[in-house]
Amino acid sequence: MSTAAPTNSPLRAALVGTGSVARLHAEALALLPHVELVAAADPLPGRAAEFASTHSIPAAFESLEELLTATDVDVVHLCTPPGGHAKQTRLVFEAGAHVIVEKPPALSLAEVDEMTDAARTAGKYLAVVFQQRTGTAATHVKALLDSGALGRPLLATCSTLWYRGSDYYSVPWRGKWDTEGGGTTLSHGIHQVDLLAYLLGEWATVNGQLWRLARDLETEDASTGTIVFESGAVASVLSSVVSPREASVIRIDTENATIELEHLYGHGHANWRITPAAHVSEADAAAWEFPDAEEPSGHDALLFEVYSALAQGDPLPAVAAEPTRALEIVAALYASAREGISVDRSRVVDEPALRGGMRSPVTDLRPDVRPGLDTTADREVGPV
């Protein structure tokens, strides 16, 4: 992606989509120097105006097109459903602005390819919001792993155990392949998968399964999988929206230590623990302690780094780079569930069919779907 020229003028930002995540963007932007949030847009009548009033935004519109026609903006934040991201990104680049887009960035890798190509052509930034990578704790742990101080990573677990009920899925675009792109793996688990891959590096193969355990959806409400990384580390991955005690958990066992993280939607130093192996000296273990200065993960940290790069004309920072890495892993998990075999990264990179969408069969284990059946083999498999 091309870099922008340094600027001393305030960067003019706009938000499109004013749902719950847009609040996090607006609050983060309010903390940034030399950034002005000048407009908001939402297709629901009156919603953008209400959001604009709450956050002291001077202009409100009912479409992105109206916003781009009426307002001069430098950066547009897309907080909209993923089905519209590819088209909206193209419109923003054509208008000469940068894009910061919420996850998942699109319905498929092919759409993200179109978005990155459009960014390159326009000479603009495309930053995807994977805020779990941010914060001083994640930076510290990544530096320890990269330095070799913890030894070779061996085994990991990565769990996104959330709860979303029928009210959440009453929103028309959720739970459907054509409009959400996938189920909990794509919409929720991708955050923790991204953090795991940020820490462990490039992946090699994925094996996955999709399950429908309780929710009346086209897509999955739970998934299980295994990721083998190029380093040889093996990770078990679990995503769920049927877990009453919610938690987001990563554990990495290395030759010299166990790294543990448990949080929900954001983490600080207190959420992490590094336990040395018995053979590690106290002096070596003491060197692994987290720094005194702390920055928690979140939109504040991510947008600070992205806007700093925009203002200086620098490349995107590590917290916003690699926009397709986590999506490639998720696409491989869906493809594995579809084909019943492990999927190599080379296939996801090279084969258009694997970059074109996530739709896959889902094993339905809900007892009311096929009463009296006790074995997975006898149950109906496939999208509802």
Side-chain angles (χ1 to χ4, degrees):
M1 249 163 282
S2 300
T3 58
T7 177
N8 293 319
S9 302
L11 290 164
R12 295 165 57 84
L15 283 171
V16 181
T18 58
S20 58
V21 76
R23 174 184 59 82
L24 299 177
H25 285 249
E27 291 174 353
L29 290 173
L31 300 174
L32 297 180
H34 310 302
V35 177
E36 296 178 2
L37 183 52
V38 299
D42 195 295
L44 293 178
R47 188 167 173 175
E50 180 180 356
F51 186 88
S53 176
T54 299
H55 295 280
S56 302
I57 303 170
F61 304 92
E62 293 189 0
S63 74
L64 170 62
E65 291 85 350
E66 288 181 59
L67 186 155
L68 293 175
T69 299
T71 310
D72 179 26
V73 293
D74 300 301
V75 188
V76 174
H77 295 236
L78 297 179
C79 303
T80 51
H85 287 170
K87 177 183 177 182
Q88 292 162 354
T89 296
R90 187 174 64 252
L91 290 173
V92 174
F93 287 145
E94 289 173 354
H98 305 287
V99 172
I100 298 173
V101 60
E102 271 290 338
K103 63 81 204 162
L107 299 181
S108 69
L109 284 162
E111 287 190 346
V112 179
D113 291 341
E114 294 174 7
M115 294 159 68
T116 54
D117 288 346
R120 193 175 299 109
T121 298
K124 298 296 177 181
Y125 287 90
L126 172 67
V128 179
V129 176
F130 285 119
Q131 76 272 14
Q132 297 304 338
R133 298 184 205 174
T134 63
T136 46
T139 299
H140 178 69
V141 170
K142 179 172 174 56
L144 288 175
L145 287 165
D146 290 349
S147 73
L150 303 182
R152 186 166 64 91
L154 303 173
L155 188 67
T157 58
C158 177
S159 299
T160 303
L161 305 172
W162 293 2
Y163 189 90
R164 299 291 185 270
S166 57
D167 55 338
Y168 178 84
Y169 288 105
S170 66
V171 177
W173 59 270
R174 288 186 175 136
K176 298 180 176 63
W177 294 107
D178 288 343
T179 49
E180 193 170 15
T184 186
T185 318
L186 177 65
S187 293
H188 309 119
I190 194 170
H191 269 308
Q192 291 303 108
V193 167
D194 180 74
L195 176 55
L196 183 72
Y198 174 70
L199 296 174
L200 293 183
E202 201 55 81
W203 64 282
T205 64
V206 169
N207 186 284
Q209 305 82 35
L210 304 177
W211 311 99
R212 190 179 302 116
L213 303 178
R215 305 289 176 258
D216 185 16
L217 313 173
E218 288 183 5
T219 57
E220 82 282 2
D221 59 17
S223 68
T224 50
T226 303
I227 307 170
V228 179
F229 289 87
E230 287 186 351
S231 67
V234 178
S236 174
V237 180
L238 175 63
S239 299
S240 161
V241 287
V242 298
S243 302
R245 189 183 84 79
E246 297 184 289
S248 304
V249 180
I250 285 178
R251 172 177 171 144
I252 301 171
D253 292 323
T254 73
E255 293 173 314
N256 297 334
T258 292
I259 304 161
E260 294 172 281
L261 165 66
E262 181 168 347
H263 66 113
L264 188 51
Y265 302 133
H267 51 81
H269 292 187
N271 299 104
W272 294 78
R273 181 170 61 179
I274 304 176
T275 304
H279 65 265
V280 175
S281 71
E282 289 186 9
D284 285 343
W288 303 344
E289 298 217 356
F290 290 94
D292 292 333
E294 178 178 4
E295 173 74 36
S297 71
H299 286 73
D300 293 1
L302 175 75
L303 295 180
F304 175 82
E305 292 202 39
V306 170
Y307 272 90
S308 295
L310 284 171
Q312 297 300 318
D314 292 336
L316 283 174
V319 294
E322 303 289 349
T324 62
R325 180 173 53 203
L327 194 62
E328 285 180 352
I329 294 173
V330 169
L333 191 148
Y334 282 106
S336 175
R338 186 165 59 245
E339 298 180 1
I341 59 173
S342 295
V343 173
D344 295 342
R345 182 172 182 268
S346 60
R347 290 190 58 203
V348 177
V349 171
D350 296 334
E351 294 184 22
L354 271 64
R355 300 186 75 79
M358 310 288 176
R359 184 186 293 265
S360 304
V362 179
T363 301
D364 199 327
L365 299 181
R366 293 175 296 166
D368 56 339
V369 174
R370 296 286 297 276
L373 295 180
D374 296 323
T375 63
T376 302
D378 290 332
R379 295 181 187 273
E380 185 172 346
V381 176
V384 175

